[in-house]
Amino acid sequence: AQSVTQPDIHITVSEGASLELRCNYSYGATPYLFWYVQSPGQGLQLLLKYFSGDTLVQGIKGFEAEFKRSQSSFNLRKPSVHWSDAAEYFCAVGALPPGTYKYIFGTGTRLKVLA
Amino acid sequence: DGGITQSPKYLFRKEGQNVTLSCEQNLNHDAMYWYRQDPGQGLRLIYYSQIVNDFQKGDIAEGYSVSREKKESFPLTVTSAQKNPTAFYLCASRPGQQETQYFGPGTRLLVL
């Protein structure tokens, strides 16, 4: 069965430190992959997406993610975290099954940033 | 200014009452989705619609109903059959033939 795992429920980093949020998926083919961010009480904002091609994708707000087929991973990274990055981050897998454009979401990682 | 609007921001339901959550988009997107978000569970798909006058059940459709009479609108009704309706509800839309979904600001439903 298709699934998305975000192993870290909570992550705390200091402002200016680097960040990596993990996402692993289970799917028989190369899926469409997304990272979204959600501030408290708000909707989800798309950070970046991977469909094909270059496995390192750049997104908004200085975020990037790398698709690693061999590890079934799509980890999100940022070199230097800002206090405004504190939010919840969701990884999602799309096109399941093909043609329905349905997503499966991970359970999210809540990021706390220390001043 | 294009976007997805959801109203109301907060909604209160009494026992045995049906309530309807509004979702409107002016992006000319073909597909629309409703998700339920509970703490620690991520987002779960309730219903989705890829074209007007057609919709499909998602993973947790029991106790919910939808309609898609217009391209811009996809209201969700939480019926009295939904025994645990307290949650944050998110609407999303997607352009035709594209994979990316775009989300509205959400409605928080609380039971009195």
Side-chain angles (χ1 to χ4, degrees):
Chain A
Q2 300 96 350
S3 65
V4 178
T5 302
Q6 293 182 245
D8 304 303
I9 299 174
H10 298 280
I11 282 186
T12 300
V13 299
S14 298
E15 191 171 18
S18 63
L19 172 70
E20 183 169 30
L21 302 182
R22 295 182 291 165
C23 174
N24 293 96
Y25 66 90
S26 172
Y27 185 57
T30 300
Y32 298 121
L33 296 160
F34 305 84
W35 274 101
Y36 286 86
V37 61
Q38 183 182 35
S39 297
Q42 303 296 315
L44 274 65
Q45 181 183 23
L46 179 69
L47 283 176
L48 47 78
K49 57 189 177 184
Y50 173 77
F51 291 169
S52 64
D54 192 347
T55 57
L56 184 64
V57 294
Q58 302 297 321
I60 62 171
K61 304 185 180 187
F63 285 93
E64 66 178 26
E66 186 171 14
F67 170 62
K68 293 186 177 179
R69 183 190 307 274
S70 61
Q71 298 176 22
S72 297
S73 70
F74 188 56
N75 294 349
L76 182 71
R77 301 193 295 245
K78 187 170 185 178
S80 177
V81 170
H82 188 262
W83 64 267
S84 60
D85 294 324
E88 190 156 22
Y89 292 79
F90 292 94
C91 180
V93 171
L96 303 171
T100 67
Y101 301 96
K102 292 166 64 176
Y103 283 15
I104 294 177
F105 282 88
T107 52
T109 297
R110 186 170 297 277
L111 174 65
K112 181 177 179 179
V113 180
L114 301 176
Chain B
D1 205 13
I4 304 170
T5 58
Q6 291 187 242
S7 61
K9 187 173 178 64
Y10 296 95
L11 186 58
F12 299 91
R13 194 190 91 163
K14 296 180 182 178
E15 293 289 339
Q17 187 181 46
N18 293 354
V19 292
T20 298
L21 286 62
S22 170
C23 178
E24 304 275 334
Q25 54 97 2
N26 61 4
L27 301 168
N28 200 33
H29 288 177
D30 292 315
M32 297 185 75
Y33 303 77
W34 274 107
Y35 292 91
R36 171 179 171 140
Q37 185 178 22
D38 296 280
Q41 296 195 48
L43 279 70
R44 293 181 290 168
L45 182 64
I46 305 172
Y47 270 97
Y48 65 105
S49 167
Q50 301 208 67
I51 57 173
V52 175
N53 292 321
D54 187 51
F55 49 83
Q56 289 78 40
K57 294 182 179 180
D59 301 315
I60 57 165
E62 185 174 350
Y64 300 97
S65 66
V66 294
S67 63
R68 186 88 187 276
E69 298 176 0
K70 299 186 299 182
K71 189 175 186 178
E72 313 81 62
S73 178
F74 191 40
L76 173 74
T77 296
V78 183
T79 75
S80 57
Q82 173 49 244
K83 297 306 179 188
N84 185 24
T86 297
F88 192 53
Y89 291 86
L90 286 158
C91 177
S93 68
R94 176 183 59 77
Q97 302 306 314
Q98 292 188 34
E99 283 293 341
T100 306
Q101 294 183 23
Y102 298 90
F103 285 80
T107 291
R108 185 165 299 281
L109 176 60
L110 300 165
V111 177
L112 297 178

